[in-house]
Amino acid sequence: MTVSLYKDYVQLAPRIISSEQTVKHIESNFRIRLWHATDTAELQEWKGFALVFEPGGDAMAWTSESDSYYGHFCEHAMSVANCETVLAALDDVDEKVGRPTYVFWNGKIAYDYSCPEAREAVEGLEASLAHYPCLDDSRMSELEYDYAIDRLESDYTFPEGVEPSDILQALHDAGESDCDDCSCWDVQKVVEKMDYRQCADCDEWIPSSSLVPILCLDCVALSGECSECSGTVADSFRGFCSGLAQELANNLECQCDSGKRHTDAMPSPRIEVPGQLELFEMVA
């Protein structure tokens, strides 16, 4: 097929053709000129030059998974999936015709507009985008899932044995999406439904279904220790906020007959504190 057989083209240079949409895009961009496009085409030994376009009229960006982005990640994931699909189609064209038919150009995908196979592939994908915004739903979902796992791993801590994938599945069950920009992830609520609570001081996760603030052992441990009863005091107890824990630990007698004040751990849950809730929970 020769250049003269194309009906809907614009003469970009004496021996180089382009699409009308590409020419309008370049002319509207103050940072690039038409001669930049002709230079690229001549360098690649092409007889045509055009950009891939999205339904809204914007030239499709050459987008990779590692690129920075603005807005919601789901939008970035869709852009990456679309770009990868276009590049894969043009890779197939390259293999078929035996030469490169596309290049990275000013952040966009430029291709040889005079190559019938390349033009057919691109125009087919552009037509698909006009009816549906994503060219590869499965790839977009994969990107969103990986992103969600990365966010959970980097932004949250979880109890031992609880994986980010477990949390994400629970979020899905609650009707939330993989994009935390589109959804309101209540990760703490999800973990608490698994019968864990966070230490009121250090945020360590503790196996518990307590309805009041609780502390881990490290946060209730104080400076002193009663060596005579340290082995009999319930060392797995978690109780109230740190201020109350300090007060209780300093003022309750040890569980032995020494009469000393216990200053190392919370007392046994058998002991009742006057004026307070009964210390009720033993956590294994």
Side-chain angles (χ1 to χ4, degrees), residues 156-177:
Y156 301 91
T157 60
F158 304 111
E160 184 178 354
V162 177
E163 300 296 331
S165 57
D166 301 328
I167 303 299
L168 189 56
Q169 183 58 55
L171 289 170
H172 289 168
D173 294 341
E176 304 294 352
S177 72

Side-chain angles (χ1 to χ4, degrees), residues 228-239:
E228 296 183 47
C229 72
S230 59
T232 61
V233 173
D235 63 355
S236 60
F237 178 78
R238 277 91 173 178

Side-chain angles (χ1 to χ4, degrees), residues 76-143:
H76 175 67
M78 184 167 64
S79 296
V80 172
N82 288 344
C83 179
E84 290 179 350
T85 302
V86 171
L87 296 182
L90 289 173
D91 281 337
D92 292 340
V93 172
D94 288 358
E95 185 175 354
K96 182 177 181 180
V97 301
R99 64 180 180 86
T101 59
Y102 72 97
V103 293
F104 176 91
W105 190 78
N106 287 291
K108 311 298 181 182
I109 306 172
Y111 69 99
D112 183 359
Y113 195 64
S114 68
C115 174
E117 293 84 358
R119 185 172 178 180
E120 180 181 3
V122 170
E123 291 181 347
L125 293 172
E126 289 176 337
S128 296
L129 285 172
H131 293 90
Y132 187 72
C134 186
L135 295 173
D136 190 341
D137 280 334
S138 61
R139 176 56 175 155
M140 178 180 173
S141 297
E142 178 185 355
L143 290 168

Side-chain angles (χ1 to χ4, degrees), residues 175-215:
E176 304 294 352
S177 72
D178 290 335
C179 179
D180 59 344
D181 296 315
C182 296
S183 300
C184 183
W185 288 359
D186 193 341
V187 174
Q188 181 169 347
K189 182 178 180 180
V190 167
V191 180
E192 286 179 352
K193 284 185 176 180
M194 300 177 177
D195 287 336
Y196 290 94
R197 297 294 184 269
Q198 279 187 299
C199 172
D201 275 358
C202 70
D203 292 335
E204 176 188 347
W205 285 103
I206 306 163
S208 172
S209 57
S210 173
L211 300 178
V212 297
I214 60 176
L215 290 170

Side-chain angles (χ1 to χ4, degrees), residues 38-46 99-103 112:
T38 59
D39 281 356
T40 299
E42 291 172 352
L43 181 64
Q44 298 296 324
E45 298 182 350
W46 295 346
R99 64 180 180 86
T101 59
Y102 72 97
V103 293
D112 183 359

